């Protein structure tokens, strides 16, 4: 008997290798996943100008980006709602606590979302023609829209992603490779559909849920070499985070020396691992 539905994840067509340059731009879910890459010692840039919820704001971040060219970029879409400053008509990324009366709220159409995404992908490809782009839709719901409105917003984003995956509206022509979709939204909605996988607000995924989505991402997108490194790094990460009861004890000094030797051995195997004790 089956007691849950497991989301099938399509092969992304590439595998993430150890220590590849990563970029994460988008909703707070992008921050959660990006942080896990940083903890796994990937050189990852995560929302360098703050959390960006909609496709237009994601584009604004990429237009300002000054980091090195990523090998893999995750763009995580949260909503199709945007705010325009009445005075200039521009879409703002952060209202900066200014009065709501200064802004108008709008909903981007499927075509508008897809157009902003194509522009973002074009910028990433100018930075690195070989970049792999992974699109995701954040599983976090928006209570302020009403739950039906939140679902409509997510549906708009999902339809825009589908246009991208099919190459529709692509200024460069038909469907291109190196663009994939990771179903974080579907995993939480369909596979983890129980309130125990949410935080107290019943909207944001719990750490357990994010950990599970991370495991599915590793399982699907990581190369065998990257998976091996994660297994070897996990006990080292725990050792480095250890807080001693008595830092001056002989026992802790021996523990530090053993940890240092293990770290040196790991760095000999992985020269790109930059960690000091």
């Amino acid at each position: 008997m089956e007691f849950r539905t497991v989301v099938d994840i399509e092969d992304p067509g590439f595998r993430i290798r150890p220590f590849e340059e990563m970029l994460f731009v988008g909703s707070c879910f992008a921050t959660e996943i990006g942080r896990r890459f940083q903890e796994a010692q990937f050189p990852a840039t995560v929302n360098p100008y703050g959390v960006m919820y909609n496709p237009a704001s994601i584009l604004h971040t990429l237009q300002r980006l000054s980091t090195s060219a990523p090998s893999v970029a995750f763009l995580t879409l949260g909503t199709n709602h945007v705010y325009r400053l009445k005075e200039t008509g521009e879409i703002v990324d952060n209202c900066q606590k200014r009065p709501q009366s200064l802004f108008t709220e709008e909903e981007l159409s499927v075509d508008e979302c897809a157009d902003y995404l194509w522009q973002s992908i074009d910028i990433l490809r100018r930075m690195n023609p070989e970049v792999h782009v992974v699109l995701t839709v954040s599983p976090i719901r928006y209570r302020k829209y009403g739950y039906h409105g939140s679902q409509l917003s997510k549906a708009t984003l999902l339809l825009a992603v589908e246009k991208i995956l099919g190459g529709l509206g692509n200024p460069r022509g038909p469907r291109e490779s190196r663009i994939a979709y990771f179903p974080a939204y579907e995993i939480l909605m369909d596979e983890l559909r129980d309130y125990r996988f949410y935080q107290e607000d019943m909207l944001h995924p719990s750490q357990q849920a994010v950990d599970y989505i991370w495991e599915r991402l590793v399982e699907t997108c990581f190369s065998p070499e990257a998976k091996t490194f994660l297994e070897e790094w996990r006990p080292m990460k725990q050792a480095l985070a250890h807080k001693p009861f008595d830092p001056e004890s002989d026992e802790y000094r021996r523990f530090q020396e053993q940890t240092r030797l293990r770290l040196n051995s790991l760095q000999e195997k992985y020269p790109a691992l930059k960690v000091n004790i």
Side-chain angles (χ1 to χ4, degrees):
M1 297 175 66
E2 295 289 340
F3 291 99
R4 68 188 179 107
T5 54
V6 178
V7 173
D8 294 326
I9 303 176
E10 289 189 17
D11 189 329
F14 73 99
R15 294 293 182 271
I16 297 171
R17 300 185 300 275
F19 311 110
E20 282 201 279
E21 194 83 30
M22 309 290 296
L23 173 66
F24 296 84
V25 180
S27 75
C28 47
F29 184 73
T31 301
E32 286 280 353
I33 295 298
R35 180 170 58 82
R36 280 162 172 74
F37 273 87
Q38 290 174 330
E39 291 173 352
Q41 298 303 300
F42 282 82
T45 300
V46 181
N47 278 331
Y49 302 109
V51 174
M52 300 293 163
Y53 295 99
N54 63 77
S57 294
I58 288 174
L59 173 62
H60 295 163
T61 286
L62 294 176
Q63 289 171 331
R64 300 166 59 190
L65 201 63
S66 58
T67 60
S68 55
S71 297
V72 183
F74 280 76
L75 306 182
T76 300
L77 311 171
T79 177
N80 70 325
H81 287 240
V82 299
Y83 291 88
R84 288 188 186 273
L85 186 62
K86 291 179 180 178
E87 184 179 357
T88 63
E90 66 177 329
I91 293 175
V92 297
D93 304 325
N94 189 318
C95 294
Q96 299 176 332
K97 298 183 179 180
R98 289 176 287 180
Q100 188 174 353
S101 60
L102 298 178
F103 304 92
T104 59
E105 183 177 2
E106 298 178 13
E107 296 177 38
L108 299 176
S109 68
V110 171
D111 288 342
E112 288 172 324
C113 289
D115 181 61
Y116 282 121
L117 287 173
W118 277 126
Q119 292 183 62
S120 297
I121 292 168
D122 195 47
I123 290 173
L124 289 167
R125 286 176 168 171
R126 287 201 298 269
M127 297 173 66
N128 175 12
E130 303 300 314
V131 67
H132 289 282
V133 179
V134 181
L135 303 174
T136 67
V137 173
S138 169
I140 299 170
R141 295 173 294 163
Y142 291 87
R143 177 181 285 157
K144 65 180 179 180
Y145 304 154
Y147 295 120
H148 179 64
S150 179
Q151 289 291 74
L152 291 175
S153 177
K154 299 295 185 182
T156 299
L157 298 173
L158 290 167
L159 288 169
V161 168
E162 194 63 23
K163 292 193 68 159
I164 298 296
L165 296 177
L168 301 178
N170 182 0
R172 293 176 176 269
R175 177 174 180 153
E176 297 183 57
S177 60
R178 298 183 179 275
I179 304 175
Y181 175 67
F182 181 78
Y185 176 79
E186 291 82 352
I187 290 173
L188 191 61
M189 294 294 107
D190 295 324
E191 192 170 340
L192 304 180
R193 46 182 173 178
D194 189 299
Y195 280 117
R196 68 191 174 99
F197 294 115
Y198 288 83
Q199 295 182 29
E200 291 182 358
D201 64 2
M202 297 298 150
L203 299 173
H204 289 75
S206 67
Q207 287 302 303
Q208 185 182 34
V210 177
D211 287 342
Y212 178 73
I213 294 171
W214 162 254
E215 288 177 6
R216 296 296 308 275
L217 178 63
V218 169
E219 167 194 308
T220 307
C221 297
F222 276 43
S223 67
E225 296 81 7
K227 292 176 183 177
T228 298
F229 170 73
L230 286 185
E231 290 301 314
E232 294 177 320
W233 170 247
R234 186 176 293 111
M236 179 57 58
K237 175 185 170 183
Q238 293 171 346
L240 293 173
H242 176 67
K243 301 295 183 183
F245 179 74
D246 181 5
E248 303 301 323
S249 67
D250 291 339
E251 181 181 4
Y252 182 62
R253 289 194 183 95
R254 288 193 295 271
F255 173 81
Q256 278 189 308
E257 183 58 28
Q258 291 171 358
T259 300
R260 187 176 293 107
L261 291 173
R262 289 165 56 199
L263 179 60
N264 290 341
S265 176
L266 198 59
Q267 288 176 322
E268 288 179 7
K269 184 175 181 180
Y270 301 100
L273 178 60
K274 308 297 183 185
V275 178
N276 296 314
I277 297 181

